[in-house]
Amino acid sequence: MAKSIDVSDLNIYYGDFLAVEDVTIPIAAKSVTAFIGPSGCGKSTFLRSLNRMHEVIRGARVEGKVLIDGQDLYGADMDPVNVRRMIGMVFQRPNPFPTMSIYDNVLAGQKLNSKRMKKTEADDIVERSLRSAGLWAEVKERLDRPGSGLSGGQQQRLCIARAISVEPEILLMDEPCSALDPISTSVIEDLIHELKSQYTIVIVTHNMQQAARVSDETAFFNLSGVGKPGRLIEHGRTETIFSNPTDSATEAYIQGRFG
Amino acid sequence: MTSTQAPAPGKNTVIRRPGDRIFSGLSLSAGVLILVILAGVAIFLTVQGIPGITAHPDEVKSGKSFLPYVWPLVFGTLVAATIAMLIAVPVAIGVALFISHYAPRKLGQGLGYLIDLLAAVPSVVYGLWGIGFLAPRMVPFYAWLDEHLGFLPFFGPASATGRTILTASIVLAVMILPIMTAICREIFLQTPRLHEEAALALGATRWEMARLAIFPYARSGIVSAAMLGLGRALGETLAVAMVLSVGVGTVTANLIGSDNPSTIAANIALGFAEATGKSVNALIASGLVLFVITFLVNFAARSIVDRRKEFSGAN
Ligand SMILES: Nc1ncnc2c1ncn2[C@@H]1O[C@H](COP(=O)(O)OP(=O)(O)O)[C@@H](O)[C@H]1O
Ligand SMILES: [Mg+2]
């Protein structure tokens, strides 16, 4: 199920502005990879290029290669809509559909696949997804209530449930805990540990402890200067990056000396 | 309460800043003014209308008592407005969506300006367009409808001039399109990026994104736009009067015949100049009926929107 990602020589543009330059990184299947680095260095931009969400912004484009289990993500025969069904995404700010019930939010992706589903089948998917997202116990009595009535942490877990209800191959998370309290954060970190057995997970985080806690691999991005594009400085096993980084900028960032 | 500086309950006076006071005064008086005007219109219509409602058939020009007199007009008004809405609402939503989310930015802006301009065209121009351009061109189409769909009560026998209630409804639809499109476009443009991206990231096509993120967000705005359009369609006098140029009109299901229903507003416009005595009151009473219809429709629309308020995302 879970797929690997292989990025080589990727340049990412907003119009004429080169935001991320020359990234090459392999990401193994069923692993958790954390992207760290100072604000504005292109972590979100890079993450969004992995499920072709980058190109929904006007004028945005990429150059280079991204292979998903050997298949060219930007190949001519790849439909971005299908790509996004295969590669799920959780955003920095929780974004459940406010006009939908909790139940319908979880099923939103399923309904796009426009499969006719039996009620029992739909119920099963909702329960399974909410259980995996650690939200079932809290919402099972009010599945028909609007998703916007939940707390921030619950909304974010609802978004995770929505993303995994379609059983994607890969799950991308852009600072999923940055708007959450410590308890919701730890719930989501536990969740990432559990999801790892089924999904390839890439998570952007500003929190060093979080990167150390949840990830197998860590990639450090940095700006080469003001107005210059962001670059991947180094990547490797999380223990190695944290205990023995090659680059002095990585060490400085991890020790909190800048960023 | 942990703070010791908090004012004791009871002495708790809210500080009112001058800006707040002025603004709340202004908005209160604006609100009251609208209600007063509305009440004034309602009172005028009622006081002047009652003699028309109670008038003896011999006292009015139509020679009928009020209900048989006004019923065909109510029928015509509702038919014309309904057809106009059936045509205009989907088109307005489609065009607005095209402008806001499909068209390249330059083209979208250009179209937007064009539509805003159309909203400023006076209704007499639409009336002339209806008579001079649309009606003759609809004649062959009506003949075709009569021939092929004539088994339906709506189509046939066909009018030879093309000046039918359907033509009038199409003119109305064109008239109310710009304002509805303009409002829908503005609302669609304000859909939070967050929700659009939520849909896209789930693998929604652009149309599915519209259904998941844009329309639910724009729901109450679309209803408001439709109500504005409907208000104009119900109340439009000149264009309808010009296209139909009939008197009181008949009650018929045939939409393309030469014996047409008329509308309340058109009937007032055509009849007011030469009306005298109780006939004037009868016209005013028909205006009261239109007022009530408009009020009821708006009320119904609002209650539809309110019923799903907690799902509106406003919280
Ligand atoms: N929609 C956009 N249009 C133009 N430039 C953008 C857009 N989003 C981000 N950028 C630019 O791309 C660079 C990388 O931003 P981002 O990927 O958001 O960084 P990070 O997530 O690491 O904080 C920044 O210089 C930012 O200004
Ligand atoms: Mg970011």
Side-chain angles (χ1 to χ4, degrees):
Chain A
M1 270 224 5
K3 291 191 172 173
S4 65
I5 311 171
D6 233 309
V7 182
S8 42
D9 307 323
L10 198 69
N11 290 322
I12 312 175
Y13 295 85
Y14 290 101
D16 294 330
F17 172 62
L18 177 60
V20 178
E21 185 177 32
D22 199 22
V23 176
T24 299
I25 185 175
I27 295 171
K30 294 194 186 177
S31 68
V32 179
T33 303
F35 292 172
I36 59 173
S39 283
C41 67
K43 306 177 299 292
S44 301
T45 304
F46 179 57
L47 192 74
R48 288 163 61 96
S49 73
L50 298 181
N51 70 341
R52 299 192 62 168
M53 274 302 283
H54 178 61
E55 66 205 53
V56 308
I57 293 165
R58 261 179 225 266
R61 66 200 163 85
V62 306
E63 282 166 5
K65 234 184 179 60
V66 180
L67 299 179
I68 305 290
D69 260 10
Q71 248 196 321
D72 186 0
L73 186 71
Y74 285 92
D77 55 342
M78 271 290 197
D79 179 357
V81 165
N82 290 334
V83 167
R84 293 177 203 136
R85 286 178 189 183
M86 178 175 78
I87 306 178
M89 183 160 217
V90 177
F91 294 79
Q92 184 168 359
R93 277 174 62 198
N95 55 359
F97 296 116
T99 54
M100 285 186 195
S101 65
I102 293 171
Y103 187 93
D104 289 337
N105 257 292
V106 177
L107 286 178
Q110 294 284 343
K111 291 202 172 134
L112 292 179
N113 293 321
S114 63
K115 274 188 307 195
R116 279 258 143 262
M117 250 184 309
K118 283 209 219 66
K119 175 89 170 87
T120 54
E121 200 185 336
D123 289 349
D124 284 349
I125 291 173
V126 170
E127 178 169 348
R128 178 173 48 72
S129 310
L130 286 171
R131 275 189 195 284
S132 320
L135 190 59
W136 176 250
E138 288 156 67
V139 301
K140 63 178 184 220
E141 305 297 338
R142 46 172 171 158
L143 293 173
D144 56 341
R145 307 293 303 152
S148 49
L150 298 173
S151 77
Q154 291 173 323
Q155 287 190 19
Q156 193 63 302
R157 278 179 280 151
L158 177 58
C159 292
I160 294 175
R162 182 176 67 186
I164 60 182
S165 78
V166 291
E167 305 192 322
E169 322 272 355
I170 297 166
L171 193 58
L172 308 176
M173 301 174 140
D174 191 351
E175 300 189 38
C177 304
S178 68
L180 307 185
D181 62 282
I183 293 178
S184 302
T185 301
S186 101
V187 171
I188 288 181
E189 285 179 14
D190 292 346
L191 180 62
I192 292 171
H193 270 295
E194 275 166 39
L195 295 177
K196 191 169 90 169
S197 58
Q198 294 178 59
Y199 303 97
T200 307
I201 297 175
V202 183
I203 176 171
V204 175
T205 175
H206 261 130
N207 179 328
M208 292 305 114
Q209 289 83 29
Q210 182 169 65
R213 279 193 301 262
V214 302
S215 70
D216 308 311
E217 303 271 330
T218 296
F220 174 63
F221 290 75
N222 201 0
L223 283 167
S224 31
V226 179
K228 298 248 182 64
R231 308 182 64 113
L232 173 61
I233 303 300
E234 66 175 307
H235 64 89
R237 300 290 305 165
T238 299
E239 307 92 70
T240 317
I241 295 282
F242 274 81
S243 60
N244 195 7
T246 330
D247 197 285
S248 59
T250 315
E251 192 172 8
Y253 183 75
I254 286 169
Q255 293 177 350
R257 279 192 267 126
F258 82 97
Chain B
M1 244 193 224
T2 50
S3 165
T4 48
Q5 275 141 352
K11 282 198 202 158
N12 189 337
T13 50
V14 185
I15 302 170
R16 303 251 307 164
R17 304 187 190 283
D20 278 352
R21 250 198 315 255
I22 293 172
F23 186 76
S24 87
L26 272 179
S27 48
L28 181 69
S29 28
V32 169
L33 188 66
I34 290 176
L35 283 181
V36 167
I37 293 175
L38 209 62
V41 172
I43 290 168
F44 167 80
L45 288 175
T46 313
V47 169
Q48 295 284 309
I50 284 175
I53 295 174
T54 54
H56 193 268
D58 298 337
E59 294 174 295
V60 291
K61 191 163 147 262
S62 61
K64 289 186 230 164
S65 56
F66 186 69
L67 266 187
Y69 167 68
V70 83
W71 158 239
L73 294 171
V74 170
F75 173 82
T77 304
L78 292 178
V79 168
T82 307
I83 298 175
M85 293 299 281
L86 286 178
I87 300 171
V89 170
V91 176
I93 292 176
V95 174
L97 191 64
F98 176 76
I99 291 175
S100 65
H101 283 81
Y102 282 81
R105 192 179 292 177
K106 282 265 151 51
L107 177 64
Q109 277 171 354
L111 276 173
Y113 286 131
L114 198 71
I115 285 169
D116 289 349
L117 273 183
L118 277 178
V121 174
S123 45
V124 63
V125 175
Y126 284 106
L128 288 174
W129 175 77
I131 302 176
F133 181 89
L134 187 62
R137 278 165 188 76
M138 293 302 282
V139 171
F141 175 60
Y142 289 156
W144 183 89
L145 278 180
D146 186 13
E147 192 177 325
H148 295 93
L149 293 172
F151 59 90
L152 293 173
F154 311 118
F155 305 119
S159 146
T161 60
R163 294 170 69 172
T164 68
I165 189 86
L166 185 55
T167 306
S169 305
I170 295 172
V171 173
L172 279 179
V174 175
M175 288 180 69
I176 63 180
L177 251 180
I179 183 75
M180 290 179 13
T181 308
I183 295 175
C184 288
R185 177 197 62 199
E186 285 310 311
I187 297 159
F188 291 172
L189 281 173
Q190 280 164 25
T191 313
R193 190 77 194 140
L194 210 61
H195 298 145
E196 292 180 1
E197 292 204 335
L200 290 174
L202 281 175
T205 60
R206 231 176 318 185
W207 169 243
E208 288 166 335
M209 188 254 283
R211 270 184 16 219
L212 276 176
I214 302 175
F215 293 154
Y217 172 81
R219 221 175 95 92
S220 77
I222 293 174
V223 172
S224 296
M227 283 309 106
L228 270 181
L230 180 61
R232 190 163 183 201
L234 287 171
E236 175 53 37
T237 49
L238 211 50
V240 177
M242 285 166 78
V243 170
L244 293 180
S245 74
V246 290
V248 165
T250 48
V251 174
T252 166
N254 184 6
L255 301 176
I256 59 171
S258 45
D259 246 356
N260 284 302
S262 183
T263 69
I264 294 177
N267 179 59
I268 296 177
L270 289 172
F272 205 80
E274 53 208 64
T276 50
K278 288 277 168 70
S279 297
V280 177
N281 295 109
L283 286 176
I284 293 175
S286 73
L288 178 64
V289 173
L290 183 58
F291 187 80
V292 172
I293 291 175
T294 312
F295 194 79
L296 288 180
V297 169
N298 268 296
F299 191 74
R302 279 297 127 209
S303 62
I304 292 172
V305 173
D306 284 350
R307 212 169 42 205
R308 283 180 60 86
K309 206 176 212 149
E310 59 177 354
F311 281 88
S312 73
N315 43 6

